[in-house]
Amino acid sequence: MPIRFFNTLTRAKETFDPLEAGKVRMYTCGPTVYNFAHIGNLRTFMFEDLLRRYLKYRGYAVHHVMNLTDVEDKIIRACRETGEPLKSLTAKYVQAFFEDLDTLGIERAEAYPAATDHIGEMVELIKTLREKGHTYDVDGSIYFKLSTFPQYGRLSHFDMEQLKTGASGRVDSDEYETEDARDFALWKAYVEDDGEVYWETELGKGRPGWHIECSCMSMKYLGESFDIHCGGIDNMFPHHENEIAQSEAATGEPFVRYWLHSAHLFVENRKMSKSLGNIYTLRDLVAKGHNPRAIRWALISTHYRQPSNFTFEGLAAAQEALNRIRDFRIRLAEIKGDGADLAAEVETCERAFGEALDDDLNISGALAAVFEFIRDVNRLMEKSELGMAGAHAALALLDRLDAVTGLFGAPDSEEAPQAILDLVMERQQARRAKDFKRADAIRDQLAAEGWILEDTADGPRVKRG
Ligand code: AMP
Ligand code: ZN
């Protein structure tokens, strides 16, 4: 069965057919590095990770590029507020971003180009747009003239007339000096507020707009036309719409064939916001003792086009699912002797898993196939009908499916964070005070978060279950 993706451009599920047989070239909008990524950002990066892993599982050679936005209004504001130079501020968060990827088991893309390393190339692209008559200048800034690109709005299916007046409220107020409210900045002339952040270029003193970096770096690393472009739904307009305009106006070629957008993550049914105090970073959750793999499960297990609701109850359920998989693996490893070889069950599971993901990455269908397999094999084990060959085949299947999801492998060994060590200490104190009810409740809480407590001659020890 062919892979089918929902293409935002056509609003339809389409058979995936890359430009070059067997190869996929994909670009995903990366983090703006002025802060730690929140779990909403990570949901989007996780969906993109599932996508690349699945394409690889299906035999494609994947070339995936993700940009690092390391110059931008919010970053400059952070520099101004903290007094920290741009480079040192962004370097810190680039490092944090890669640490987060590792913690969550997100595979590395093939390249992570940073905007500030491509200023010269952006200047060239803007010059091309200028030569072709797509720009105009206002006070040293350069704008894209949207009236020269009548196809604008194709991706977001936007009502152009509504946009034109600026009545939609979506147009940045700092674009008031443009000829038309829809026009956007390619190059921003230096203003005092930018402090030390500027480049002296053929276009004058200033810095690039945000949109041009993605056109420039995607085409540099993947070619003028490539297969897949992803991002969170908020990137669709105006960012991706502007990318299409810049790229296609410059090259005359179709820019991207399949646009995939992930829906947003909410926390306890509410939008993440500073005022609600519900913006979680990965670090916040790990420091509380939550298992990164359970966080991975919670972030990956809702279909990418459905808004996902992160809850602590959901996180506990994810940990329970992981505990079931851990116990299943342990039981399989203990099987000896002859019995069922599971050839048919493995095939049925893997086929159902693949068919679900072929259908626009239907992850719930794929997970359901695995749980059905686990249930069937557990039944065989209860009746002592499973043989060693079958047990090995089941473990090999889990490992193959783990390569796609990062959910079914053997548990990682991991050091317990302080919050967990504090609980262990509290349990000791409860035991000493003969409050066994409290001590047992703590043991249960540890288990729910995926930690196994062992009382040894040297005292209690916890390990990741
Ligand atoms: P940023 O660092 O703001 O440039 O965002 C990085 C990525 O995270 C982009 O693809 C955004 O669309 C995505 N994103 C931002 N907020 C959320 C959210 N609440 N849920 C899912 N994705 C998000
Ligand atoms: Zn982008």
Side-chain angles (χ1 to χ4, degrees), residues 29 214 239 243:
C29 288
C214 285
H239 183 50
E243 277 187 50

Side-chain angles (χ1 to χ4, degrees), residues 216-279:
C216 173
M217 298 194 284
S218 63
M219 294 198 292
K220 172 175 175 181
Y221 292 95
L222 300 171
E224 292 177 351
S225 297
F226 56 92
D227 300 303
I228 300 179
H229 195 315
C230 306
I233 193 76
D234 58 304
N235 282 164
M236 180 174 68
F237 179 86
H239 183 50
H240 290 162
E241 203 74 75
N242 292 352
E243 277 187 50
I244 295 174
Q246 295 164 150
S247 304
E248 298 193 354
T251 69
E253 297 295 327
F255 179 43
V256 169
R257 288 157 59 87
Y258 304 90
W259 286 90
L260 274 59
H261 291 101
S262 53
H264 268 182
L265 177 102
F266 295 84
V267 171
E268 308 282 358
N269 280 317
R270 306 175 86 160
K271 200 169 181 269
M272 269 187 284
S273 77
K274 272 199 186 129
S275 55
L276 290 174
N278 64 352
I279 302 182

Side-chain angles (χ1 to χ4, degrees), residues 209-420:
W210 169 40
H211 313 296
I212 196 74
E213 74 174 82
C214 285
S215 282
C216 173
M217 298 194 284
S218 63
M219 294 198 292
K220 172 175 175 181
Y221 292 95
L222 300 171
E224 292 177 351
S225 297
F226 56 92
D227 300 303
I228 300 179
H229 195 315
C230 306
I233 193 76
D234 58 304
N235 282 164
M236 180 174 68
F237 179 86
H239 183 50
H240 290 162
E241 203 74 75
N242 292 352
E243 277 187 50
I244 295 174
Q246 295 164 150
S247 304
E248 298 193 354
T251 69
E253 297 295 327
F255 179 43
V256 169
R257 288 157 59 87
Y258 304 90
W259 286 90
L260 274 59
H261 291 101
S262 53
H264 268 182
L265 177 102
F266 295 84
V267 171
E268 308 282 358
N269 280 317
R270 306 175 86 160
K271 200 169 181 269
M272 269 187 284
S273 77
K274 272 199 186 129
S275 55
L276 290 174
N278 64 352
I279 302 182
Y280 289 107
T281 67
L282 183 60
R283 286 138 208 274
D284 295 335
L285 298 176
V286 172
K288 285 181 190 211
H290 295 290
N291 181 359
R293 200 179 285 181
I295 302 169
R296 182 178 175 90
W297 190 300
L299 295 179
I300 214 174
S301 54
T302 301
H303 186 267
Y304 75 93
R305 284 192 291 116
Q306 302 290 330
S308 154
N309 184 28
F310 180 87
T311 64
F312 284 94
E313 209 182 309
L315 192 56
Q319 183 59 56
E320 255 171 52
L322 287 174
N323 292 349
R324 274 182 69 194
I325 289 159
R326 176 201 63 207
D327 296 345
F328 182 59
R329 291 190 68 109
I330 291 171
R331 253 177 281 139
L332 286 172
E334 287 166 355
I335 297 288
K336 302 245 173 353
D338 291 338
D341 68 2
L342 296 185
E345 288 85 349
V346 165
E347 210 220 287
T348 304
C349 173
E350 197 157 12
R351 188 169 353 98
F353 177 89
E355 279 174 5
L357 291 179
D358 280 347
D359 180 16
D360 195 32
L361 295 182
N362 173 7
I363 185 72
S364 351
L367 295 178
V370 179
F371 278 112
E372 200 161 314
F373 174 78
I374 293 177
R375 206 194 50 214
D376 291 349
V377 177
N378 271 333
R379 279 201 195 126
L380 284 173
M381 285 198 275
E382 274 156 29
K383 292 190 279 176
S384 305
E385 287 177 8
L386 182 64
M388 200 163 138
H392 284 171
L395 284 169
L397 172 71
L398 291 179
D399 288 345
R400 283 199 298 285
L401 306 187
D402 184 59
V404 181
T405 58
L407 301 175
F408 304 123
D412 296 329
S413 59
E414 206 190 311
E415 295 210 358
Q418 195 54 46
I420 292 299

